[in-house]
Amino acid sequence: MTIKEYVAYRKSELTSLIKELNPLPKLVIIQVNEDEASMAYIRGKIKDLQTIGASFEHVKLPLDISEEELLKVIDKYNNDDTVDGILVQMPLPKGISEEKVKEKVIPVKDVDGFHPMSKYIPCTPKGIIDYLENEKIAFSGKNAVVIGRSNIVGKPMAKLLLNKNCNVTVLHSKTTKEDLEFYLAHADIIVVAVGKKYFLENQKFKEDAVIVDVGINRVDGVLYGDCAPDRKVRLQTPVPGGVGLLTRLSMLENLLLCYKERRGK
Ligand code: NAD
C-alpha cells in the first residue's frame, strides 16, 4: 500500500471512531511565529482535524510574548478539561526556551510526544514504525541504520527499532564517509533524517533494503528528500507525500490516545 493509500485508510478509520465520541476530541494549537513553513504545517494539521471530525482551537500569540506569559497560556489549557491535546508549533521566538515549553505541556495532553515523561511516541518515528508494520517489514534481527540523532526523530526512532529487536546503528555528523558506506551496505532498514538534499545517492544498498526518507529540504521552492529518488531497493518512501503524511497521521492518533487516557474511554 502506498503511504497515501495507507494514510487515507487510517484516517477513514479515525473518522468512524470519532463519530461515536461525545464530546469530540479537541486539540489546541498554539502558534508564536509567522514562519511560512509553520503556517503550512498548521494549515495541514487543521485540514486533517476537520477531515476526521475532531474539534480544535488555533491560538495565535503575539511574537513579543514573554516566556512566562506563554507558559501561563499553556497552563490554562493544561487545566482546561475540554482540551484533550496541546501542540505548540515550533520554532519559538528567540529568548523562549523550547525545552521549558515542551516540558510545560502536561504529558497526558502531549500529542507531539515531546515531554520527557510523555506517554506518547513522537509523531514521526511512530508513523514510520506503524507504516512499516502495515507493510509487513520484518524487524527482528535485521540491521537498522538511523542517520541523524535529533531528539524528535533519530533518537526515538533508534529506540523503537531496538524495541523491535533490530540491530541498530545510529550515524551522525561525526560519522566518516567510509563508515557511512560500510553500514549502509549491510543495512536492511535505513532511516535518514539529516536535512541535506540527496545526502544518500550513489552509495551501495542491499536490493531488499527499505529506505525511509525523513528529510524535507526546500530548494528554490521545490521539496527534496535526503535520498535521491528511485534507488534500487525493496521500498523507498517518497518526498513529498511520504513521512510528512505519516507524521501528520500520528498526531491525530496521539490525540485520540490522549482523549481515551484522560477520559477513561
Ligand atoms: P536536525 O536538523 O536536528 O539534525 C540533523 C541531524 O543530522 C543531526 O543529528 C546530525 O548529527 C545529522 N547529520 C548532519 N550531518 C550529517 C552527516 N554528514 N552524516 C550523518 N549525519 C549527519 O534533525 P531533525 O530535526 O531530525 O531533521 C532532519 C530532517 O528531517 C530535516 O530535513 C527536517 O526538516 C526533516 N523532518 C521531517 C519530518 C517529517 O515529518 N517528514 C519531521 C521532522 C523532521
Side-chain angles (χ1 to χ4, degrees), residues 41 123-125 146-154 171-176 180 192-196 199 213-218 224-226 239 242-248:
Y41 290 141
C123 297
T124 302
V146 178
I147 316 175
R149 54 177 162 182
S150 70
N151 289 332
I152 60 165
V153 184
L171 307 181
H172 47 75
S173 52
K174 300 286 184 265
T175 303
T176 64
L180 173 77
V192 59
V194 169
K196 290 184 182 159
F199 176 75
D213 191 344
V214 183
I216 300 178
N217 307 293
R218 193 178 290 272
Y224 298 91
D226 280 356
V239 177
V243 173
L245 296 181
L246 298 175
T247 303
R248 278 165 60 174

Side-chain angles (χ1 to χ4, degrees), residues 40-79:
Y41 290 141
I42 291 175
R43 276 197 300 275
K45 284 165 188 166
I46 289 177
K47 196 170 141 223
D48 289 342
L49 291 160
Q50 287 169 328
T51 304
I52 64 163
S55 87
F56 66 92
E57 189 177 332
H58 179 191
V59 183
K60 271 186 99 173
L61 297 173
L63 300 183
D64 60 356
I65 192 168
S66 67
E67 183 178 278
E68 197 188 339
E69 283 171 300
L70 174 58
L71 296 178
K72 266 193 202 157
V73 173
I74 296 172
D75 227 16
K76 185 182 105 182
Y77 292 111
N78 278 340
N79 294 317

Side-chain angles (χ1 to χ4, degrees), residues 30-46:
I30 301 176
Q31 181 182 4
V32 206
N33 65 45
E34 277 174 1
D35 181 65
E36 230 177 82
S38 293
M39 306 260 206
Y41 290 141
I42 291 175
R43 276 197 300 275
K45 284 165 188 166
I46 289 177

Side-chain angles (χ1 to χ4, degrees), residues 149-163:
R149 54 177 162 182
S150 70
N151 289 332
I152 60 165
V153 184
K155 284 189 191 130
M157 190 73 237
K159 191 173 158 195
L160 289 180
L161 289 164
L162 194 56
N163 289 346

Side-chain angles (χ1 to χ4, degrees), residues 7-18 52 253 256:
V7 169
Y9 149 73
R10 287 292 302 136
K11 275 191 189 164
S12 68
E13 284 192 337
L14 286 173
T15 310
S16 315
L17 276 170
I18 285 176
I52 64 163
E253 288 177 336
L256 209 64

Side-chain angles (χ1 to χ4, degrees), residues 85-99:
I86 303 170
L87 184 156
V88 184
Q89 182 67 46
M90 301 294 159
L92 298 170
K94 277 203 180 82
I96 299 187
S97 154
E98 280 196 7
E99 292 318 305

